[in-house]
Amino acid sequence: MTHGYTTGTGPEPASAYGIPRQREAEKGSPEARKPGRDRYLDLLRSLALVRVVVYHLFGWAWLTVLFPSMGVMFALAGSLMARSLSRPAPSVIRSRVRRLLPPLWAFSAVVLTLMFAGGWNPLKDRDHGGTWGLLGLVDYVIPVGAPPFPWHLGAKSGLLEDTWAVQAVGPLWYLRAYLWFVVASPLLLWAFRRAPWPTLLAPLGLTAVVGTGLVSIPGETGNAVTDFAVYGGCWVLGFAHHEGLLARIPRYAAVSCSALLMAFGLWWASGHQGPDGWDLNDIPLAQATWSFGFVVILLQYSPSWQELPGRLRRWDKLVTLSNNRAVTIYLWHNMLIMATVPILDQLYKLPFLQADSAVAAPDATYTLWMFVLIWPLIGLAIVAFGWIEDRAAKRSPRLWPNGAGRNGAGHNGPERNRPGRNGQERDRSAGRRRAGSV
């Protein structure tokens, strides 16, 4: 599952990194693995997706510390990208972009239709510069920048809150970051194979510059650079995992250094908390260092399962399904969380809930019912839109790919815009939202 590098395409033995083959096999390194899906990595991707949905639903800041989903997902994507780059880079980039865009187009078609039907006119949108806002619609087709959207649309008393467009479009920041990482990967991998440590640590250094206010880059350009810096270290860690570099480091040393780096991240977060306290999404340097150390530990202990072991095997079909439909789940989950509100509000029309004293119970458990409802709604989205991922990958469409095949790892999507009950979305960063990437 690994490919070293000498001429750009050929394999290089692990000894080129100073890794004894016996030790490699003991640590479950890529050189010792059998071909096929790595179910440990698939499990991590599934956990990351679930954590993103739960975070957006409940808004618990501590989840960003418990499991830094975005760092994990970018690291897994980086590892897969390094594996793919054993082939010519242009064909790999075309393949990755082709897999990404059709699901985005389906999502954009629905969102833009709803926006236009709601009366939004990008030429008259004062937040997006008229003509520039119209030109920005291209980002709904190719996510090279931040797409425009109306800050408010509809009425607060409408079916959806008037900031629904902000919440729906917010997750597209990840597609932009992923696309730029894909395009930059041939150069990054070239640099990594020649100077691994500087390439691995450079994003942390860049985050210390642009993510702390030491150097401020205005507008959406600054947001894009910050995202690239914060998660660039995790993306390159994916390279290090695939290339076998992590297996060169004694486990005690890797874990010790990671723990120190993570401790620094928490220390930095303690003195630079944002509007949501310990939410690392608001603290770039803490996010970068905590995620980096967390990912190193996960990959150091990577058991490289060919099958899920023991009791985890009961989740095999769901893990397979979520990996095959990761883009669909990511793109649609925020809108589906918002859709739970008008659906659950129908409960209050039941005859036995008409009395004021009877609504206390559903009020107290409203978010829990949202949690219960979101999963069947995600299932409906998988059936309705998931097959587009198959067509994008040039596979036969499948409505529910939960075990018929284990190809199609998918991409992983992020967080940041969290919809809540009856429009109670907290304003994390108005500047980033106004730019369409929060």
Side-chain angles (χ1 to χ4, degrees):
M1 200 169 149
T2 188
H3 299 275
Y5 189 79
T6 51
T7 64
T9 56
E12 184 176 11
S15 57
Y17 286 113
I19 309 169
R21 289 197 179 272
Q22 182 180 359
R23 183 164 170 269
E24 255 197 346
E26 291 171 355
K27 297 188 72 170
S29 70
E31 285 287 342
R33 295 171 186 165
K34 299 177 182 179
R37 299 289 305 179
D38 188 327
R39 300 300 279 167
Y40 174 73
L41 301 186
D42 287 348
L43 178 64
L44 290 182
R45 184 179 294 105
S46 297
L47 290 174
L49 283 169
V50 170
R51 209 282 283 154
V52 167
V53 175
V54 173
Y55 166 85
H56 283 162
L57 180 58
F58 292 100
W60 295 327
W62 53 267
L63 283 174
T64 64
V65 178
L66 179 66
F67 194 86
S69 286
M70 302 320 305
V72 171
M73 289 192 279
F74 277 113
L76 299 180
S79 180
L80 289 173
M81 189 66 187
R83 178 182 182 181
S84 297
L85 283 172
S86 59
R87 308 193 308 269
S91 66
V92 172
I93 293 175
R94 284 195 303 270
S95 174
R96 294 293 176 185
V97 172
R98 186 187 66 243
R99 288 169 179 253
L100 186 68
L101 294 186
L104 170 64
W105 294 341
F107 176 81
S108 297
V110 172
V111 170
L112 287 174
T113 298
L114 292 175
M115 288 181 184
F116 294 146
W120 180 53
N121 185 344
L123 285 172
K124 298 180 180 179
D125 191 328
R126 62 189 181 194
D127 294 325
H128 295 285
T131 302
W132 283 111
L134 184 63
L135 294 175
L137 293 177
V138 173
D139 290 314
Y140 283 101
V141 181
I142 304 176
V144 294
F149 53 87
W151 189 254
H152 297 280
L153 189 63
K156 291 184 177 180
S157 59
L159 188 64
L160 294 175
E161 60 179 287
D162 64 342
T163 60
W164 71 266
V166 180
Q167 301 178 48
V169 175
L172 296 186
W173 76 269
Y174 168 78
L175 272 70
R176 176 191 63 193
Y178 177 85
L179 180 62
W180 283 113
F181 276 129
V182 166
V183 172
S185 282
L187 178 60
L188 287 175
L189 189 57
W190 176 88
F192 174 80
R193 285 166 169 167
R194 284 156 178 77
W197 291 109
T199 307
L200 190 60
L201 299 177
L204 295 180
L206 182 60
T207 304
V209 174
V210 301
T212 62
L214 185 62
V215 172
S216 180
I217 303 175
E220 193 56 31
T221 301
N223 294 332
V225 172
T226 300
D227 289 338
F228 195 91
V230 168
Y231 298 109
C234 292
W235 187 273
V236 180
L237 272 176
F239 293 174
H241 172 68
H242 175 266
E243 298 286 293
L245 180 61
L246 289 181
R248 175 183 179 181
I249 308 169
R251 181 170 290 174
Y252 73 88
V255 173
S256 299
C257 291
S258 296
L260 289 174
L261 189 63
M262 295 165 71
F264 169 81
L266 292 182
W267 171 80
W268 182 265
S270 67
H272 300 82
Q273 294 185 19
D276 291 327
W278 285 89
D279 193 323
L280 299 187
N281 290 313
D282 300 325
I283 317 169
L285 185 58
Q287 178 75 284
T289 51
W290 179 264
S291 297
F292 189 97
F294 197 95
V295 167
V296 168
I297 293 173
L298 285 180
L299 296 183
Q300 271 283 332
Y301 283 90
S302 174
S304 185
W305 296 320
Q306 299 300 306
E307 295 180 355
L308 293 178
R311 294 182 179 180
L312 290 175
R313 194 166 297 135
R314 71 183 66 175
W315 303 100
D316 185 83
K317 290 184 178 180
L318 288 179
V319 169
T320 301
L321 178 66
S322 62
N323 275 266
N324 278 306
R325 293 295 181 257
V327 178
T328 300
I329 295 170
Y330 162 61
L331 279 173
W332 292 94
H333 79 274
N334 250 19
M335 286 194 69
L336 297 175
I337 290 175
M338 288 185 286
T340 63
V341 175
I343 295 174
L344 290 175
D345 282 348
Q346 300 304 307
L347 291 174
Y348 292 90
K349 296 181 180 180
L350 295 175
F352 60 87
L353 289 178
Q354 296 306 304
D356 290 341
S357 59
V359 301
D363 276 350
T365 58
Y366 199 96
T367 308
L368 292 177
W369 285 111
M370 292 175 67
F371 175 78
V372 171
L373 184 57
I374 184 60
W375 304 111
L377 290 181
I378 287 176
L380 290 176
I382 288 173
V383 172
F385 302 103
W387 58 271
I388 299 174
E389 293 193 53
D390 290 327
R391 298 301 298 169
K394 297 184 177 181
R395 293 191 299 259
S396 298
R398 297 167 294 170
L399 290 182
W400 198 256
N402 65 345
R406 287 179 176 174
N407 52 340
H411 315 289
N412 312 293
E415 48 199 42
R416 291 189 191 163
N417 245 7
R418 184 180 67 252
R421 182 196 168 190
N422 296 330
Q424 299 302 313
E425 158 131 353
R426 302 203 307 231
D427 188 1
R428 284 211 186 92
S429 174
R432 289 182 64 81
R433 285 190 179 170
R434 199 168 292 273
S437 172
V438 289

